[in-house]
Amino acid sequence: MNIHYRNDAPEFDGANLLMHFVAEVDGEPVDCAISAEALEDHFGAESALEGPLQEAFVRGRAQIRSVCTEAIEQTGGGVVLHSGHFRIQG
């Protein structure tokens, strides 16, 4: 499975408090997301507002992608990363 991440800025979904980003799995786009809670708990977002979440995503981009890759490899599809994914990483 070949997984590549686009360098686009993640998109804020205020209704669901998620930041969406795109992974390409074997050349096909796959929607992935990380919860505001995970960005607050693990990457220092000061609030669930778009600006602080964007900043936290940038700070944690490498770790977010690493955890997302593991999840995609397990599920074969898009994932929503929650705080618990980062507690059990490793």
Side-chain angles (χ1 to χ4, degrees):
M1 185 177 294
N2 184 12
I3 302 170
H4 170 76
Y5 293 92
R6 296 181 182 177
N7 286 322
D8 304 337
E11 292 186 21
F12 181 57
D13 174 357
N16 295 300
L17 294 175
L18 297 172
M19 294 296 286
H20 289 268
F21 57 100
V22 177
E24 291 183 0
V25 180
D26 296 329
E28 295 295 322
V30 172
D31 182 52
C32 300
I34 183 169
S35 69
E37 178 185 31
L39 290 166
E40 289 172 320
D41 290 349
H42 301 281
F43 302 103
E46 295 176 5
S47 74
L49 298 174
E50 183 174 2
L53 294 175
Q54 287 277 2
E55 293 168 4
F57 186 93
V58 169
R59 278 193 301 275
R61 186 184 313 265
Q63 187 177 2
I64 292 165
R65 287 178 174 179
S66 174
V67 170
C68 190
T69 295
E70 289 178 23
I72 290 171
E73 288 172 343
Q74 292 174 2
T75 66
V79 297
V80 176
L81 301 173
H82 296 279
S83 197
H85 286 98
F86 297 92
R87 286 189 206 108
I88 61 171
Q89 181 191 19

